[in-house]
Amino acid sequence: MANFIVETSARHIHLTTADIETLFGKGAELHNKKDLSQPGQFACEEKVELVGPKGSIKVSVLGPARKATQVELSFTDARTLGLKDVPVRESGDVAGTPGLHLVGPAGEVELAEGVIIAKRHIHMTPADAEAFGVTNGQIVSVKVDCGNGRATVFGDTVVRVSTSYALAMHIDTDECNAAAAFGTVYGEIV
């Protein structure tokens, strides 16, 4: 087992139940538009407008509801919104990060913190980690070569191991564009 799928994770938002109700109305629930590769995760029909100091963009909501509202952007998205000093962080690590204004069809939320550039990572089950000879939290380098003259080695890739994961690497849209990693793409730990 030398290769694994590399997926591009476009800008999106995870919402708390309280923020779902504020943005979409009391008793609102998220509606599954499409299952994602990670078990139990899904893209929703619902979208939220992110409003920053310089502009706004609409993003998809990913479900299910989370303990904390979190926005995941690329550096390009952050510049478009006029956000400065957005850190590269692992999902869930939002302390001290910038916030922004969220607008939904039924209300608005002033997010004090929660905007990150997601650190590239590989989801693995314990069996996958054993097969690859890696451990949870380990930092690895991954080669992505689509045969298009843009072969790229992504350093600083964190391995995330859980029984609830499915094997896949996630990069953002800036990283995808840098490697021309369009369509079905595979990576290899080097």
Side-chain angles (χ1 to χ4, degrees):
M1 188 184 345
N3 296 321
F4 41 83
I5 194 88
V6 177
E7 299 173 326
T8 301
S9 181
R11 58 189 178 221
H12 61 271
I13 188 169
H14 301 279
L15 296 168
T16 63
T17 301
D19 287 346
I20 291 168
E21 288 198 348
T22 299
L23 295 166
F24 298 101
K26 187 161 179 60
E29 295 182 6
L30 299 176
H31 297 92
N32 185 335
K33 179 179 178 181
K34 175 185 164 188
D35 287 331
L36 301 176
S37 66
Q38 295 308 304
Q41 303 294 306
F42 54 94
C44 302
E45 293 175 7
E46 291 78 13
K47 292 188 180 288
V48 170
E49 184 177 10
L50 309 179
V51 181
K54 282 178 51 179
S56 66
I57 53 178
K58 279 206 170 187
V59 297
S60 293
V61 176
L62 298 189
R66 294 265 182 112
K67 292 181 201 172
T69 292
Q70 173 179 294
V71 177
E72 295 183 31
L73 302 172
S74 69
F75 280 110
T76 300
D77 296 328
R79 282 194 303 276
T80 297
L81 291 168
L83 299 175
K84 296 180 181 178
D85 302 321
V86 178
V88 176
R89 298 267 183 94
E90 286 191 55
S91 183
D93 182 8
V94 298
T97 61
L100 48 67
H101 193 74
L102 311 177
V103 179
E108 301 182 10
V109 171
E110 192 63 41
L111 188 63
E113 65 181 14
V115 181
I116 65 168
I117 311 298
K119 185 173 181 72
R120 55 184 161 254
H121 56 278
I122 309 168
H123 292 279
M124 293 187 178
T125 65
D128 294 328
E130 185 176 338
F132 281 99
V134 295
T135 58
N136 186 52
Q138 184 173 343
I139 302 299
V140 299
S141 293
V142 176
K143 182 178 181 181
V144 175
D145 187 353
C146 303
N148 54 18
R150 302 286 311 260
T152 304
V153 175
F154 290 110
D156 300 318
T157 304
V158 67
V159 174
R160 298 173 61 192
V161 180
S162 171
T163 55
S164 65
Y165 290 157
L167 181 61
M169 178 176 174
H170 289 161
I171 59 177
D172 69 25
T173 52
D174 288 347
E175 294 164 324
C176 169
N177 289 333
F182 313 121
T184 303
V185 176
Y186 292 92
E188 175 184 6
I189 295 175
V190 293

